[in-house]
Amino acid sequence: MQINIGIPEAERSAISEALKKLLGDTYTLYQKTHSYHWNVTGPMFQTLHLLFMTQYTELWNAIDPIAERIRALGYYAPVSGSEFAKYSSIAEDKEVPKAENMIRNLVEGNEAVIRTARSAYAPAEKGNDQASLDLLTQRLDIHEKTAWMLRSLLA
């Protein structure tokens, strides 16, 4: 059935592609944060274990609204790990890092999501897509705050 929501197909396609990148980054950061929660060791174990749980839970809860926005625009969300990896700008870990490097990696991961969200503004603005703009603003706020808090642990 034809989609007629006031956003032309070309704009919906561009917004969807930008949101797929956001979803790929969010999903990759979720996986990374969750694995750090399981594998952190050292004197900050309890603090980081709980912090990472809070962060991966927030990321998990963000995945669905991003994917559903892609669907509302008329496109399919990624369906496999390889497809998520294709859209993600965040590198996977090859081994378990030390706790301080986990924090650094999560700062970098959150900053990557921030850059990806910012890059999605142009197509969303061009399509006059307030729902996607609102979603992007919410994600920016959360990731900027998270990156700040993680950087504070390294000061």
Side-chain angles (χ1 to χ4, degrees):
M1 186 172 178
Q2 185 94 9
I3 296 175
N4 184 8
I5 60 173
I7 304 172
E9 184 175 352
E11 279 82 7
R12 284 189 293 107
S13 177
I15 297 163
S16 172
E17 285 302 304
L19 291 176
K20 287 178 185 180
K21 292 176 184 175
L22 180 65
L23 183 59
D25 276 354
T26 303
Y27 197 82
T28 303
L29 186 58
Y30 159 76
Q31 289 181 312
K32 184 178 292 240
T33 307
H34 205 157
S35 74
Y36 289 177
H37 165 79
W38 294 326
N39 293 305
V40 68
T41 59
M44 291 182 60
F45 169 80
Q46 187 63 24
T47 300
L48 293 178
H49 185 73
L50 293 174
L51 177 65
F52 295 162
M53 183 173 66
T54 300
Q55 292 175 356
Y56 80 67
T57 300
E58 194 288 322
L59 288 161
W60 177 255
N61 289 326
I63 292 167
D64 204 52
I66 298 168
E68 288 181 350
R69 185 68 199 143
I70 294 166
R71 294 296 296 130
L73 291 168
Y75 297 90
Y76 288 106
V79 297
S80 68
S82 61
E83 195 174 4
F84 279 112
K86 177 181 88 170
Y87 283 107
S88 182
S89 67
I90 300 170
E92 293 182 344
D93 292 314
K94 303 296 183 212
E95 56 188 37
V96 177
K98 299 287 184 192
E100 188 171 319
N101 286 333
M102 289 178 175
I103 298 167
R104 289 181 197 288
N105 292 346
L106 293 180
V107 169
E108 291 171 6
N110 277 279
E111 289 176 346
V113 175
I114 292 164
R115 291 188 301 273
T116 299
R118 284 191 196 292
S119 72
Y121 266 91
E125 286 176 336
K126 184 177 180 189
N128 198 24
D129 181 1
Q130 289 82 13
S132 293
L133 289 167
D134 183 53
L135 177 66
L136 293 167
T137 300
Q138 290 173 39
R139 299 311 312 150
L140 279 172
D141 182 52
I142 289 164
H143 289 285
E144 287 179 348
K145 184 176 179 181
T146 300
W148 156 64
M149 290 181 169
L150 289 165
R151 278 192 301 271
S152 295
L153 290 170
L154 298 170

